[in-house]
Amino acid sequence: LRGVLDEGSFPPLRDFADIGFLRRRCGRRQVVVKSLAHKDKTGRPVFVTDPELRLPLSAFLDSVEEHERSGTPPPFYLGKVGLNKEIPELAEEIDRAPASPSKVFGECFGSPIPAGVFTYFGFGRNTTAVHWDAHDNLLLCVTGRKRFILYPPSDARHVYPCNDFSRSALLPFTCFADMSPELQEKFARSAQARPVEVTIGPGDMLYLPSCWWHAVEGSEERNMILVWWFEFRAEKRELAISGNAGGRFVGAPAV
């Protein structure tokens, strides 16, 4: 969904992209960040865990500005951070906005998860490996760009699930033709996958259904998305349980 919200209806599109605003409003907060990453062959930092390191938000903002001055590689990624718990001032700004994705489109989904809205704030092409989420996602890009590679649930056997089967062994954003012969042999079934690629920018939204595999790459400049997770609507839950999830929802709002 392109250009769904603007700064008038949703001021965080303006304010959350402003480092000075973030420092004044909540720079003193201690936040949890991702710090464990490896570089792929293109130089992207691929973050491979949930947040595990706590530091002042002001220190993270320092790293954003240092990257923009000198190109210093990103040491941290403010990814999967719940605003209600970690940065309540920003959650308050979202609640005060005349419109927000949850206010405009919330009735299309089940109940929002109790933790509320999350943010993913990075820079330097921060990348998240291929995985799937258990809830329906509604994502809004605040600043920068976010690039997604999306695989439908039917591609599960082609993306080589690993660990707890919510993550994939595939290299993110690497198509079969670009793999080395060794990797092509190791991941032969990935040639049958049918991914979809989409990039969103400020004011754009993406609906990402539960169980869709996806990898995410941020832009070189600072980039931020806000994410709302929702439980299944009753109709969707019933279809999933019955095994007819490929069917059409009767009477369900269009998303």
Side-chain angles (χ1 to χ4, degrees):
L1 302 174
R2 299 293 184 187
V4 175
L5 298 174
D6 57 27
E7 295 177 358
S9 60
F10 192 64
L13 282 173
R14 175 193 64 233
D15 297 334
F16 290 8
D18 182 349
I19 295 290
F21 173 88
L22 297 176
R23 286 191 188 279
R24 292 189 302 272
R25 193 75 172 88
C26 48
R28 69 186 185 285
R29 288 284 179 183
Q30 295 281 323
V31 294
V32 63
V33 300
K34 300 182 179 187
S35 66
L36 301 177
H38 67 268
K39 285 189 176 181
D40 66 11
K41 67 179 183 180
T42 71
R44 288 181 299 227
V46 180
F47 290 86
V48 294
T49 68
D50 281 344
E52 83 298 325
L53 177 67
R54 188 165 290 279
L55 77 169
L57 177 60
S58 59
F60 174 78
L61 298 176
D62 288 344
S63 70
V64 176
E65 293 185 315
E66 181 59 33
H67 173 78
E68 293 175 344
R69 283 193 298 268
S70 64
T72 302
F76 312 117
Y77 177 30
L78 192 71
K80 200 176 180 180
V81 171
L83 296 185
N84 286 348
K85 179 180 179 181
E86 299 284 338
I87 319 177
E89 294 86 355
L90 299 189
E92 292 169 3
E93 295 290 335
I94 292 171
D95 288 342
R96 278 203 295 263
S100 73
S102 61
K103 292 175 182 176
V104 176
F105 296 102
E107 67 179 16
C108 299
F109 304 94
S111 301
I113 67 169
V117 61
F118 283 69
T119 190
Y120 291 74
F121 184 12
F123 57 96
R125 301 175 70 204
N126 49 286
T127 299
T128 302
V130 181
H131 67 287
W132 61 269
D133 299 327
H135 297 92
D136 284 337
N137 290 240
L138 194 58
L139 306 99
L140 171 69
C141 186
V142 173
T143 189
R145 301 278 171 183
K146 285 283 191 175
R147 175 188 174 207
F148 294 79
I149 190 82
L150 310 171
Y151 302 86
S154 57
D155 272 354
R157 71 183 303 269
H158 305 316
V159 300
Y160 294 83
C162 61
N163 296 338
D164 62 355
F165 293 92
S166 70
R167 299 178 184 273
S168 163
L170 290 184
L171 302 175
F173 298 100
T174 303
C175 67
F176 184 79
D178 293 336
M179 293 181 186
S180 66
E182 293 79 12
L183 288 179
Q184 287 184 344
E185 181 178 0
K186 183 177 182 179
F187 299 120
R189 290 197 308 274
S190 68
Q192 302 175 52
R194 294 294 180 265
V196 176
E197 185 173 319
V198 62
T199 299
I200 59 175
D204 295 341
M205 287 174 43
L206 173 67
Y207 165 51
L208 179 59
S210 170
C211 299
W212 275 64
W213 297 82
H214 56 284
V216 190
E217 178 193 30
S219 51
E220 184 67 36
E221 70 273 19
R222 68 183 75 164
N223 55 82
M224 179 192 288
I225 57 173
L226 300 173
V227 180
W228 287 260
W229 278 311
F230 297 90
E231 305 289 352
F232 288 169
R233 286 181 59 89
E235 299 95 326
K236 187 172 184 178
R237 186 182 303 109
E238 290 170 6
L239 287 171
I241 293 171
S242 69
N244 294 319
R248 182 177 180 272
F249 291 3
V250 178
V255 180

